[in-house]
Amino acid sequence: MRNVLVTGGAGFIGSNFIHYLLRTEPDVRVVNLDALTYAGSLENLKGLPDEKRHTFVEGSITDRPLVDRLFAEYTIDTVIHFAAESHVDRSILDPGVFVQTNVIGTFTLLEAARKAWLVDKLVPVETARFHHVSTDEVFGTLSKTEPPFEEETRYQPRSPYAASKASSDHFVRAYNITYGLPVTISNCSNNYGPRQFPEKLIPLMILNAVNGRPLPVYGDGMQIRDWLYVDDHCEAIWKVVTQGRVGETYCVGGDNQPPNIEIVHTICDILDELRPGSVFAPHEKLITHVADRPGHDRRYDINIEKIHTELGWSPRYSLKTGLADTVQWYLENPEWVSAIMEQSDYGRWVKRNYEDRKGQA
Ligand code: NAD
Ligand code: TYD
């Protein structure tokens, strides 16, 4: 049995990861530490396969005594660290909490792992692994012609979110080099799929379109992201944890780079097809260009050659299938949507982020 501490497992990717792990791996037990911020919800943990192998603990990764207790009590040998503040727009409005959670929180976990594995030797260090889930945003932005990001690309974060993730990546690497902590890091592109909090582009556009609300495209909508279906990311993470080399970084992505405006049009087309009788069809009538994000990264693209050749991973979902499944999921889960919006004071966020953008495109 492997005893896995998942941090941030009530959030989007963390909860999908726990569903994935319990579904595919019979020999793991999961302890899920999550502070249940606006982005985390127990709704995301409903219907877990083989639920008795999952223990939920409400608390913060910055709480050192709590984290120490979890390492000892559950003989943790594997950490998969998702917990973070994850939204660029919120980091522009409130950067402080990003430093607390993403930098101090990661540092706290690293210290606890160092104590448990290298000082107290609670498990043999050869069997231990600390996996840090990071983002391609640490590499900054690409011009039209620059080659994709890869593992050796220089860090040039440009938003408070990206800067806090970059800082946490540096700490994780330093703990490997300085203390020999067995770490791996993955830097992944934009995820989408079921249970994503509707502040992010894809669920926001789906839910606004279904409800006949404007679809707020920042600036000209020609910014480019690489999109990965969340289950593909979960598979990549588990491959890195179980087969990746200690001390290494792996870039993960979906091998596609459409401009944002194309994603929004595709969502509208899928909805037109699924709901031809909707009074809001054709949904693209709802597209509205609004004021751009300050310091908006123009283009991301990521080279997945290393994880493909070393670990045999490549994405299973095409963007077309993944988007169709995602739209379908949001249409089929209105109770999840209402619960999440209510718990997180969603209306307040929408007002704060979008009110001043109107008419400024
Ligand atoms: P999310 O915002 O949906 O979820 C974050 C979770 O962390 C929430 O459940 C929240 O309650 C929890 N959390 C926040 N602060 C905490 C704290 N102090 N202690 C314990 N739990 C806390 O984020 P996500 O989209 O699922 O992203 C997960 C990780 O993946 C993040 O580290 C993010 O940087 C990284 N990542 C995300 C994407 C993406 O497109 N979403 C892409 C690449 C990497
Ligand atoms: P987002 O989902 O916030 O992810 P990230 O900023 O981490 O890439 O945004 C994805 C892209 O969509 C990004 O270029 C910003 C853009 N965007 C909009 O155009 N309108 C919106 O309302 C949101 C939330 C994002």
Side-chain angles (χ1 to χ4, degrees), residues 86-89 135-137 161 190-191 196 198-205 208 215-219 221 223-225 227 260-261 264 290 292-293 296-298 300 349 353-354 357:
S86 69
H87 190 36
V88 174
D89 290 323
T135 165
D136 60 356
E137 304 197 23
Y161 164 63
N190 287 58
N191 281 216
Q196 185 166 32
E199 65 190 350
K200 303 280 168 64
L201 179 76
I202 288 176
L204 180 115
M205 294 298 173
N208 278 17
L215 307 181
V217 173
Y218 294 166
Q223 307 84 359
I224 289 176
R225 300 290 181 266
W227 294 95
N260 291 343
I261 190 74
V264 178
V290 299
D292 208 349
R293 175 187 278 173
H296 199 167
D297 288 345
R298 196 67 184 165
Y300 303 150
W349 165 250
N353 193 44
Y354 294 95
R357 284 196 148 93

Side-chain angles (χ1 to χ4, degrees), residues 7-15 33-41 44 59-62 81-87 97 100-102 105 132-137 161 165 186-192 195-197 199-200 227-228 233:
T7 70
F12 164 50
I13 309 177
S15 65
L33 173 61
D34 196 297
L36 296 181
T37 67
Y38 79 91
S41 173
N44 292 337
S60 175
I61 54 169
T62 57
H81 176 32
F82 294 94
E85 289 294 330
S86 69
H87 190 36
V97 66
Q100 279 305 318
T101 301
N102 301 0
H132 178 58
V133 180
S134 192
T135 165
D136 60 356
E137 304 197 23
Y161 164 63
K165 291 297 288 187
S186 47
N187 291 96
C188 186
S189 61
N190 287 58
N191 281 216
Y192 67 98
R195 305 184 196 93
Q196 185 166 32
F197 188 80
E199 65 190 350
K200 303 280 168 64
W227 294 95
L228 183 68
H233 188 191

